[in-house]
Amino acid sequence: MADLQPVRGTRDLIGEDQRRHHHVIETARRIAASYGFDEWSTPVFEDTRVFSRTLGETSDVVMKEMYTFEDRGGDSVTLRPEGTAGVCRALVTNGLTQSLPQKVFYAGPMFRYERPQKGRYRQFHQIGLELIGPAEPLADAEVIACGRDILTALGVAQDTVLEINTLGDRDSHAAYRDALIGYFTEHQAGLSEDSLARLDRNPMRILDSKDEGDRRIVADAPTIYEHLTEDAAAFYARLKEHLTRFGVPFVENPRIVRGLDYYGHTAFEFVTSRLGAQGTVLAGGRYDRLVAEMGGPAVPAVGWAAGIERLSMLLDAPPPAPAGVAVIPVGEAVEGPALDLLQALRRAGIRAEMAYRGNLKRRLERANRIGARAAVILGEDDLARGVAQVKDLATGTQDAVPLAEIAARLR
Ligand code: ATP
Ligand code: MG
């Protein structure tokens, strides 16, 4: 068994890693609740079509990153690469398209077959929001403001910049697509192989290319702003007004496109320079066609997802290890009463552990090692007097406290 290793691109969350992870989720959950979002949990795997139909046949996720397999019954299932498609599937199959809006928060593991590196894993975790129902730009501004508040509460907002863009409506998109195909065709000699493949199918994705040569060509590509319909331009203008009203600072970046194909209008990313190439910590946009593609009615929606691993890495100080209390019986005769005391402390909400084994000195050492803030030492003489010695392990001071008062003293 010694040669068993974790699967490439997966990580164990233990100790500080787990505390960081948990802190991100708890913080996001609390702030999302204050905006009126309810938590949903959808299955970690779905019918493959939930993703293949909706994420766009040409997206990287569907083409090369999905964990898809046939189960023992011969059905094709896929480990979810993202959360939005599953939430929309659940909206439709639970008959909730008639009770809108739905405001959904989720947190959980996602799976993508990617090349593992810092901030990029094969099992990673996301928190996310979906605001399903409202078609107006205020909804976009609200989910962005909530994201920003979560980053602020985590203490990382000052390390990020919010970049926003519009992908326009269908007509803007079609006009822009033509303009891009024209421009990139003129420059196709300098494009990477990946981008050439995208030229006909999805030229907007070239804007997102990380290839150096592509980037030089992209720098002078036309932007969508010249191709927006009046409606799309008005939508985008309102979004910016609302963001300003919410006090959320942003910059415009015409190169932002989303990696998945179901987006229109708003696209945004919170990016940081502190994580090297994996700089996007939170990303999202408006997706007004997805619910219909899932077999439901046309329901507009907007949302985002954020990588928990990347947020965890940005946290300055890890949440502290919980400091409990060690109960140390001295002598076999007091073990029973020590157990009673231990349970009484736990029921009073105090983290309390039995200090197993060894003499008093060894047990005190052990109490220090597990980060206990206090030791409760119970000897036969103490017990006869109805007290125990409470030792503050930070200062070393010790006094005799009546058994009935120990919980109150330690709380
Ligand atoms: P990237 O450009 O980094 O590949 P993406 O566009 O594929 O990101 P989204 O699908 O928008 O990412 O997912 C939202 C967020 O989830 C990302 O901004 C990132 O923080 C996180 N994320 C995505 N893929 C991974 C991964 N493989 N490992 C860790 N975090 C990830
Ligand atoms: Mg990706």
Side-chain angles (χ1 to χ4, degrees):
M1 290 293 263
D3 55 351
L4 280 183
Q5 296 294 322
V7 172
R8 194 165 133 77
T10 67
R11 305 161 66 223
D12 300 307
L13 293 174
I14 296 173
E16 185 189 317
D17 288 334
Q18 174 61 23
R19 287 199 300 279
R20 285 175 181 264
H21 191 96
H22 185 75
H23 179 64
V24 170
I25 296 176
E26 280 300 304
T27 304
R29 187 176 273 143
R30 174 169 57 82
I31 305 235
S34 77
Y35 277 74
F37 286 82
D38 284 330
E39 185 158 355
W40 288 17
S41 295
T42 62
V44 161
F45 60 96
E46 296 269 359
D47 184 321
T48 295
R49 290 169 296 178
V50 166
F51 308 108
S52 62
R53 268 198 208 157
T54 56
L55 304 190
E57 296 291 344
T58 65
S59 70
D60 283 351
V61 169
V62 170
M63 300 233 304
K64 359 184 244 226
E65 297 176 0
M66 290 207 312
Y67 276 93
T68 298
F69 58 97
E70 220 174 75
D71 68 12
R72 289 171 190 275
D75 294 322
S76 178
V77 297
T78 295
L79 299 183
R80 63 181 184 194
E82 54 100 54
T84 307
V87 166
C88 290
R89 193 274 307 143
L91 180 88
V92 173
T93 56
N94 287 280
L96 294 172
T97 55
Q98 299 309 311
S99 14
L100 299 174
Q102 290 288 335
K103 301 172 76 173
V104 182
F105 168 78
Y106 64 83
M110 308 292 163
F111 306 84
R112 295 184 193 176
Y113 192 79
E114 301 204 69
R115 198 167 67 75
Q117 50 199 293
K118 182 184 171 205
R120 194 175 291 287
Y121 309 96
R122 290 181 173 174
Q123 174 174 334
F124 63 102
H125 300 78
Q126 288 181 334
I127 47 171
L129 290 188
E130 315 294 351
L131 176 41
I132 307 170
E136 51 268 52
L138 176 58
D140 308 49
E142 263 208 299
V143 299
I144 293 173
C146 183
R148 160 88 192 182
D149 279 356
I150 291 169
L151 298 179
T152 302
L154 290 172
V156 306
Q158 73 285 351
D159 295 327
T160 67
V161 173
L162 167 61
E163 300 186 348
I164 65 166
N165 190 24
T166 177
L167 307 174
D169 50 17
R170 282 199 150 177
D171 289 345
S172 329
H173 196 274
Y176 185 42
R177 188 190 147 89
D178 290 345
L180 280 182
I181 291 178
Y183 174 81
F184 286 128
T185 305
E186 265 172 52
H187 294 85
Q188 57 175 302
L191 287 178
S192 70
E193 216 165 292
D194 270 356
S195 290
L196 278 177
R198 287 177 178 142
L199 184 50
D200 292 320
R201 281 182 307 188
N202 196 345
M204 275 177 118
R205 294 293 316 285
I206 300 176
L207 300 176
D208 203 21
S209 169
K210 287 168 181 127
D211 179 89
E212 278 290 314
D214 289 348
R215 279 180 171 279
R216 275 193 296 276
I217 295 171
V218 163
D220 294 320
T223 70
I224 195 166
Y225 304 136
E226 302 103 64
H227 301 277
L228 291 179
T229 61
E230 218 171 283
D231 282 354
F235 188 103
Y236 188 45
R238 290 291 281 168
L239 168 69
K240 289 185 277 185
E241 279 168 34
H242 290 314
L243 285 177
T244 304
R245 181 80 200 184
F246 277 124
V248 177
F250 61 87
V251 298
E252 289 179 80
N253 178 355
R255 304 296 171 220
I256 293 186
V257 296
R258 305 289 309 117
L260 308 175
D261 283 357
Y262 51 64
Y263 290 96
H265 285 297
T266 313
F268 57 90
E269 294 184 353
F270 284 87
V271 294
T272 180
S273 55
R274 279 184 49 197
L275 294 179
Q278 271 58 251
T280 306
V281 293
L282 184 157
R286 175 164 282 279
Y287 51 96
D288 290 346
R289 295 194 300 269
L290 182 57
V291 177
E293 279 166 19
M294 207 64 78
V299 176
V302 56
W304 54 252
I308 297 178
E309 285 79 3
R310 294 185 196 176
L311 289 172
S312 296
M313 284 190 274
L314 288 178
L315 294 182
D316 251 348
V325 168
V327 173
I328 305 179
V330 184
E332 252 168 60
V334 292
E335 245 170 39
L339 290 186
D340 295 342
L341 180 59
L342 190 63
Q343 292 303 78
L345 292 175
R346 289 170 176 168
R347 284 179 188 137
I350 295 165
R351 179 186 171 105
E353 293 178 74
M354 188 64 158
Y356 290 103
R357 295 263 169 79
N359 57 25
L360 180 59
K361 182 161 168 275
R362 291 263 313 269
R363 294 197 202 201
L364 275 172
E365 279 166 10
R366 156 105 187 122
N368 270 312
R369 210 166 47 237
I370 63 174
R373 60 192 163 94
V376 180
I377 305 160
L378 191 61
E380 284 178 40
D381 294 350
D382 295 327
L383 188 62
R385 290 164 50 212
V387 300
Q389 305 295 323
V390 175
K391 186 180 175 83
D392 184 320
L393 292 176
T395 61
T397 57
Q398 177 174 323
D399 36 6
V401 179
L403 290 175
E405 289 168 27
I406 290 179
R409 167 75 82 92
L410 289 172
R411 213 172 0 227

